[in-house]
């Protein structure tokens, strides 16, 4: 190998993952030869996951889109390769038609998913904003993580990952970091070695649960009931942090009064936790000096998720864990407004994706054109059939992706885009809170273009050839564009003015604001603000329960070797084939053998899928990893029900994310 011609570039994995690993590519003759992690990174310590190490394979995968494609009839599969000029012309004509007919761009809709979380990819939002009012379809999952129902969850952050090592106990609650946040695990093990007790609270015996000193296997959606049991005991035994409560909170007496009336015996039955395990948990939480709570998104994927989140927060406050150096709540936090234009358009029409199935859009402006970027709603959304039906009503759909996904197949125009090895970007992490630069190392794959290039070329054409007014700024290069995104807020929080500040010897810039939540005296109110009352306690948000016809919960957690709908086709493991995990005793009763194809069904759909007998799964749950199974020809999410609570009446975003409030029945074929 001629080392002189090998160049090294810095990249950041742009997937929606808590690690945002920094990695280096070794490039020779415009080809990536090798990838390594960045051993100077304080959170990832140079380790990548299998997906990270398989990026060369993904980048040059034969299925990657090489050219723009067009099909007149959506779903016909009769795609024709076209030129970029032709693609821009088709889009321009559609935009002109909308402009002429409606004198507003409300019939133009954007669906943006989480496939790439880089700042570069905000460019599509900027383009839409430059046309003034448009329609934004809000992806269900953008509601997770980015907001808290009360906007002020007392979330700490993981800038200094070593701090939890000194906690007396770490409670991992509705999260499976051994799969979904792998770089956290060494810190958990370190803590365990120092004597920290590890508790995992999950209905499934996960890979993370294997690390636990105490595993609490509760029924799904009963977390707030469990918290009530703990709180009642804390108060009865006066083990709460009285000084902290007096200084920082209000309304403690009414909380205590509410709990006095609680029948915790009944709650314990509903949670279905073995009595001995519950007593061990109570003993631990009554006496532990400092507790760190790592809260995952598993809890939120229930209609009552906001209630559970609030309950866990209350527990951390009552115990006085908030604000302690090694304790408190750790929950992913993305400051999504940091790089966005403060003048973002307020006249946009916002439609939640679940509303597409019952809102009569014709009443206002029909949707004439839909643009999909970084999203795969026909696999990842709740009830994708409803989304597909909606897609058939839209005359013109553009999807920008790197692969011919099921969503792309239902589009008219499919535009190939660059990977993070082929474009410049900035990634702001939502867990360890570091910002880092992603460099372009190799030329775009065949005719793919970066999303900045696509929006810039399209804007230039619209400006030159049409009367459409848009204020999308044209920069000379991606680098100039990204440099223009920096603002005073970014400078204040990260000390970074422009890209060159990110190119120095430090590969990442940590957020420099206050560490953790600072509470002002009296600030935390145990009573909720009036507008959020409906969330509290047992008021309207009802807990979902399996019914007779559909007696099993269907839990569809995140896949160890995939990232949502990405990477499945790489066959990174023998778990790549779709399967349903079923408790062996239940399977035996139904006569279903291990490895046999069985049926899983509900009112929405039915799938035939391989059974895997698994002791990890209790007898009232069946488990299928979510994502794309291109070689198994099935989409799991057709089974995921729209919550009955959402139909236009939902006030909490969490009610719309009830992926895990899905009930099914199973049978032998
Ligand atoms: N059943 C079930 N469903 C779930 C979940 C669950 O737990 N259970 N989890 C939900 C959660 S938390 C999430 S975040 C969503 C994720 O679902 P999505 O938001 O759809 O995210 P991905 O599947 O990661 O990626 C979507 C698409 O983006 C494309 N993409 C990648 N990089 C780029 C890029 O640079 N530009 C463009 N234009 N496209 C790109 C990918 O190829 C992929 O086709 O899934 C949700 N769906
Ligand atoms: N390998 C890999 N890593 C990923 C992803 C991926 O797809 N693959 N996706 C990334 C993304 S976008 C996200 S949002 C995160 C998600 O990662 P996590 O936050 O870990 O989320 P989930 O896998 O949805 O669920 C975590 C756990 O919650 C449990 N759970 C379900 N219902 C309940 C309940 O009612 N109570 C309790 N206590 N637990 C419950 C599930 O059994 C599961 O073990 O992972 C990120 N990292
Ligand atoms: S998917 Fe996550 S763990 Fe894997 S390389 Fe990307 S950021 Fe790192
Ligand atoms: Mo997510």
């Amino acid at each position: 190998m001629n080392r002189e011609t090998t160049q090294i570039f810095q990249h950041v994995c742009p997937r929606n993952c808590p690690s945002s690993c920094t990695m280096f590519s070794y490039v020779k003759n415009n080809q990536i030869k090798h990838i390594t992690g960045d051993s100077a990174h304080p959170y990832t310590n140079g380790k990548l996951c299998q997906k990270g190490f398989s990026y060369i394979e993904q980048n040059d995968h034969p299925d990657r889109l090489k050219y723009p494609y067009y099909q007149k009839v959506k779903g016909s599969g009769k795609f024709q390769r076209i030129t970029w000029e032709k693609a821009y012309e088709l889009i321009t004509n559609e935009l002109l038609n909308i402009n002429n007919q409606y004198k507003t761009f409300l019939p133009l809709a954007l669906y943006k998913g989480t496939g790439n979380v880089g700042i570069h990819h905000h460019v599509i939002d900027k383009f839409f904003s430059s046309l003034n009012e448009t329609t934004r379809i809000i992806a269900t999952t953008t509601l997770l993580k980015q907001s808290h129902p009360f906007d002020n969850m007392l979330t700490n952050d993981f800038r200094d990952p070593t701090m939890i090592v000194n906690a007396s106990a770490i409670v991992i609650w509705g999260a499976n970091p051994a799969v979904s946040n792998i770089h956290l695990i060494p810190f958990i093990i370190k803590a365990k070695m120092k004597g920290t007790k590890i508790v995992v609270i999950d209905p499934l015996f996960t890979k993370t649960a294997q690390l636990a000193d105490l595993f609490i296997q509760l029924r799904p959606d009963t977390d707030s009931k469990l918290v009530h049991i703990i709180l009642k005991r804390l108060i009865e035994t006066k083990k709460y942090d009285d000084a902290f409560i007096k200084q920082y909170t209000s309304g403690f007496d009414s909380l205590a009064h509410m709990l006095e009336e609680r029948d915790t015996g009944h709650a314990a039955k509903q949670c279905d936790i073995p009595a001995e395990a519950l007593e061990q948990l109570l003993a631990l939480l009554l006496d532990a000096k400092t507790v760190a709570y790592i809260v995952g998104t598993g809890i939120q994927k229930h209609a009552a998720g906001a209630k559970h989140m609030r309950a866990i927060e209350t527990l951390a406050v009552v115990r006085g864990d908030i604000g302690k150096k090694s304790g408190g709540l750790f929950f992913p936090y993305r400051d999504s407004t940091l790089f966005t234009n403060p003048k973002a358009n307020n006249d946009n029409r916002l439609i939640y994706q679940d509303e597409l199935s019952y809102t009569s859009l014709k009443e206002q402006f029909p949707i004439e054109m839909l643009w999909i970027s970084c999203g795969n709603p026909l696999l990842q959304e709740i009830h994708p059939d409803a989304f597909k039906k909606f897609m058939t009503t839209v005359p013109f759909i553009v999807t920008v992706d790197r692969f011919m996904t099921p969503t792309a197949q239902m589009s008219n125009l499919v535009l190939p885009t660059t990977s993070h090895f082929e474009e410049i970007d900035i990634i702001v992490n939502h867990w360890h809170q570091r910002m880092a630069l992603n460099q372009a190392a190799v030329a775009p794959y065949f005719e793919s273009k970066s999303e900045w290039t696509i929006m810039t070329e399209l804007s230039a054409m619209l400006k030159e050839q049409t009367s459409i007014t848009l204020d999308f700024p044209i920069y000379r290069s991606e680098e100039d564009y990204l440099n223009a995104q920096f603002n005073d807020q970014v400078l204040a929080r990260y000390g970074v003015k422009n890209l060159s500040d990110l190119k120095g010897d430090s590969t990442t810039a940590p957020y420099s604001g206050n560490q953790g939540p600072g509470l002002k005296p009296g600030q935390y109110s145990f009573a909720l603000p009036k507008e959020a009352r409906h969330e509290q306690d047992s008021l309207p948000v009802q807990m979902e329960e399996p019914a007779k016809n559909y007696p099993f919960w269907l839990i569809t957690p995140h896949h160890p070797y995939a990232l949502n709908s990405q990477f499945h086709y790489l066959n990174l493991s023998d778990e790549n084939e779709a399967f349903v995990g079923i408790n062996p005793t239940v399977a035996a009763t139904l006569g279903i053998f291990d490895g046999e194809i069985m049926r899983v069904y509900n009112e929405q759909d039915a799938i035939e899928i391989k059974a895997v007998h698994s002791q990890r799964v209790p007898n009232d749950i069946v488990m299928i990893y979510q994502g794309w199974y291109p070689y198994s020809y099935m989409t799991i999410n057709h089974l995921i029900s729209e919550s009955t609570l959402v139909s236009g009446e939902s006030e909490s975003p969490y009610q719309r994310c009830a992926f895990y409030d899905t009930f099914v029945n199973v049978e032998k074929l």
Side-chain angles (χ1 to χ4, degrees):
M1 186 166 119
N2 179 357
R3 287 185 185 277
E4 278 168 17
T5 58
T6 301
Q7 276 184 290
I8 301 173
F9 296 90
Q10 178 181 307
H11 309 281
V12 191
C13 176
R15 307 281 83 85
N16 191 4
C17 172
S19 295
S20 304
C21 296
T22 306
M23 56 181 78
F24 299 107
S25 67
Y26 293 70
V27 175
K28 208 176 147 187
N29 299 331
N30 195 38
Q31 285 212 314
I32 307 168
K33 299 288 179 192
H34 181 59
I35 292 172
T36 59
D38 173 8
S39 51
H41 195 289
Y43 188 59
T44 65
N45 275 313
K47 294 179 191 68
L48 303 175
C49 72
Q50 336 76 356
K51 291 155 289 192
F53 282 120
S54 74
Y55 265 128
I56 300 182
E57 212 183 326
Q58 198 209 37
N59 217 49
D60 298 332
H61 196 278
D63 290 354
R64 204 174 145 188
L65 291 167
K66 299 185 174 84
Y67 311 104
Y69 286 100
Y70 174 74
Q71 63 179 351
K72 201 159 185 238
V73 182
K74 285 187 284 293
S76 67
K78 292 187 177 149
F79 277 109
Q80 281 178 304
R81 177 181 160 186
I82 58 168
T83 61
W84 277 98
E85 288 67 35
K86 181 72 188 163
Y88 292 142
E89 193 187 307
L90 287 165
I91 300 168
T92 302
N93 287 343
E94 287 300 324
L95 293 176
L96 271 175
N97 285 343
I98 293 173
N99 198 37
N100 292 341
Q101 193 180 340
Y102 298 96
K103 315 283 176 237
T104 160
F105 278 107
L106 286 172
L108 170 66
L110 172 64
Y111 176 95
K112 183 158 180 270
T114 64
N116 185 320
V117 299
I119 301 303
H120 177 135
H121 300 268
H122 290 190
V123 70
I124 180 67
D125 299 294
K126 306 242 165 180
F127 174 83
F128 267 63
S129 295
S130 78
L131 291 168
N132 283 326
E133 57 200 18
T134 56
T135 296
R136 307 298 175 100
I137 298 171
I138 302 173
T140 310
T141 51
T142 58
L143 301 168
L144 291 170
K145 276 201 283 206
Q146 298 180 355
S147 60
H148 175 261
F150 318 107
D151 280 335
N152 61 349
M153 190 161 182
L154 300 170
T155 311
N156 216 329
D157 64 57
F158 236 79
R159 247 174 293 167
D160 173 9
T162 58
M163 60 193 173
I164 53 155
V165 170
N166 297 319
S168 347
I170 299 174
V171 181
I172 303 173
W173 208 319
N176 187 12
V179 159
S180 61
N181 187 356
I182 57 162
H183 295 96
L184 176 62
I185 299 302
F187 297 101
I188 301 277
I189 291 173
K190 214 167 170 185
K192 194 177 160 104
M193 308 268 275
K194 278 187 74 177
T196 304
K197 292 282 177 246
I198 311 297
V199 181
V200 171
I201 304 182
D202 200 301
L204 300 173
F205 184 68
T206 59
K207 292 188 180 168
T208 309
Q210 283 170 233
L211 294 169
D213 294 287
L214 178 59
F215 170 48
I216 300 292
Q217 189 164 32
L218 82 177
R219 292 192 85 205
D221 209 20
T222 58
D223 301 80
S224 51
K225 292 188 196 300
L226 172 60
V227 173
H228 289 162
I229 299 169
I230 305 166
L231 284 173
K232 191 167 177 175
R233 188 73 72 86
L234 272 168
I235 293 172
E236 279 168 1
T237 54
K238 300 209 168 7
K239 292 283 183 125
Y240 52 87
D241 189 334
D242 197 32
F244 184 86
I245 290 170
K246 284 208 175 94
Q247 188 174 358
Y248 292 110
T249 74
S250 66
F252 183 64
D253 290 345
S254 46
L255 174 77
H257 182 67
M258 187 268 283
L259 288 164
E260 255 171 47
E261 290 170 4
R262 272 297 139 94
D263 176 357
T264 44
H266 180 62
K269 258 194 213 130
Q270 288 175 308
C271 297
D272 198 21
I273 301 168
E276 301 77 8
L278 183 59
E279 282 309 316
Q280 279 188 34
L281 178 68
L282 288 166
L284 188 71
L285 290 178
L286 257 47
D287 291 323
K289 200 160 160 245
T290 310
V291 177
Y293 308 80
I294 308 231
V295 186
T297 62
I299 290 177
Q300 289 168 276
K301 289 170 186 160
H302 295 282
K307 182 170 157 163
H308 304 313
M309 299 289 282
R310 171 75 180 181
I312 295 168
E313 185 180 58
T314 305
L315 172 61
V317 171
V318 169
R319 275 196 29 90
D321 293 311
I322 301 291
K324 282 188 186 157
K325 202 156 179 249
S326 50
L329 293 162
F330 295 90
F331 180 65
Y333 172 73
R334 190 190 307 278
D335 190 348
S336 54
T337 60
L338 193 66
F339 272 96
T340 49
N341 180 357
K343 289 190 299 190
N345 202 313
N346 290 327
D347 300 323
N348 287 335
R349 171 171 56 163
L350 304 181
I351 302 178
Y352 290 99
Q353 90 87 22
D354 57 48
E355 289 173 342
L356 295 170
S357 58
Y358 59 82
T359 304
S360 173
L361 298 170
K362 294 260 185 291
E363 278 168 22
Q364 308 156 1
F365 293 98
I367 290 176
E368 298 282 2
M369 176 173 165
L370 168 65
W371 189 291
I372 298 174
S373 165
C374 302
N376 204 345
L378 291 194
L379 291 175
Q380 296 304 111
E381 275 294 0
I382 287 175
H383 198 11
D385 269 343
F387 201 96
K388 191 168 182 181
K389 212 161 135 203
F390 159 69
M391 285 175 90
T392 59
T393 68
V394 181
F396 189 69
I397 302 180
V398 182
T399 291
V400 185
D401 207 303
R402 275 193 298 282
F403 292 91
M404 189 59 87
T405 63
T407 306
Q409 282 164 30
M410 271 301 291
S411 310
N412 298 94
L413 188 58
V414 179
L415 302 178
T417 193
T418 41
S419 72
H420 68 291
F421 298 111
E422 302 155 358
E423 65 189 24
I424 308 177
D425 208 347
I426 305 158
I427 307 292
V428 184
N429 175 268
H430 61 275
W431 179 252
H432 54 69
Q433 307 289 327
R434 282 175 180 78
M435 181 188 298
L437 171 71
N438 178 80
Q439 296 177 312
V442 292
Y445 186 71
F446 289 80
E447 287 189 11
S448 49
K449 289 181 190 273
S450 78
E451 294 197 83
W452 170 78
T453 310
I454 299 171
M455 300 338 286
T456 299
E457 290 180 350
L458 178 62
S459 299
M461 185 160 175
L462 289 170
K463 283 182 186 183
E464 272 165 33
Q465 299 180 12
T466 72
S467 54
I468 293 173
T469 42
L470 77 167
D471 61 5
F472 186 86
I474 308 281
Y475 292 95
R476 273 176 317 162
S477 66
E478 231 164 69
E479 188 153 353
D480 285 357
Y481 168 76
L482 280 168
N483 265 326
Q485 305 311 305
F486 287 89
N487 57 37
D488 289 348
Q489 257 196 107
V490 179
L491 181 62
R493 301 217 198 149
Y494 289 86
V496 175
K497 273 197 307 298
N498 51 35
L499 291 178
S500 23
D501 282 356
L502 285 170
K503 283 181 189 161
D505 8 303
S506 100
T507 53
T508 58
Y511 174 60
S512 60
N514 287 333
Q515 177 97 45
L519 269 183
K520 294 192 194 90
Q523 192 189 347
Y524 189 85
S525 167
F526 288 106
L528 287 177
K530 222 193 201 148
E531 60 280 9
R533 282 272 156 78
H534 66 285
E535 305 288 359
Q536 199 182 21
D537 208 37
S538 56
L539 291 174
V541 183
Q542 117 207 14
M543 309 272 198
E544 301 282 333
E545 285 277 343
K548 258 204 188 117
N549 305 354
Y550 303 110
F552 298 94
W553 297 83
L554 173 64
I555 302 288
T556 50
H558 289 240
H559 194 292
Y561 300 105
L563 205 296
N564 298 317
S565 71
Q566 305 186 60
F567 298 95
H568 280 254
Y569 52 84
L570 285 182
N571 274 322
L572 290 176
S573 84
D574 50 5
E575 287 181 15
N576 217 53
E577 188 188 352
F579 70 87
V580 55
I582 181 167
N583 182 279
T585 314
V586 174
T589 319
L590 298 169
I592 297 169
F593 298 112
D594 193 28
E596 187 180 16
I597 303 294
M598 62 178 271
R599 194 161 174 264
V600 180
Y601 65 97
N602 61 15
E603 275 160 352
Q604 272 182 205
D605 201 19
I607 56 172
E608 290 178 8
I609 182 168
K610 186 171 93 172
V612 168
H613 288 192
S614 171
Q615 294 284 4
R616 293 177 181 273
V617 184
N619 56 16
D620 54 353
I621 296 180
V622 289
M623 190 228 55
I624 309 177
Y625 288 126
Q626 58 113 340
W628 187 12
Y629 294 94
Y631 306 123
S632 301
Y633 302 100
M634 68 177 68
T635 39
I636 310 321
N637 280 21
H638 288 291
L639 290 163
I640 306 294
S641 347
E642 269 180 340
S643 164
T644 48
L645 294 155
V646 296
S647 321
E649 287 152 24
S650 160
E651 284 172 54
S652 155
Y654 289 83
Q655 290 181 33
R656 298 176 180 275
C657 304
F659 289 93
Y660 299 164
D661 284 343
T662 293
F663 304 99
V664 293
N665 205 348
V666 299
E667 64 187 16
K668 189 180 171 74
L669 274 179

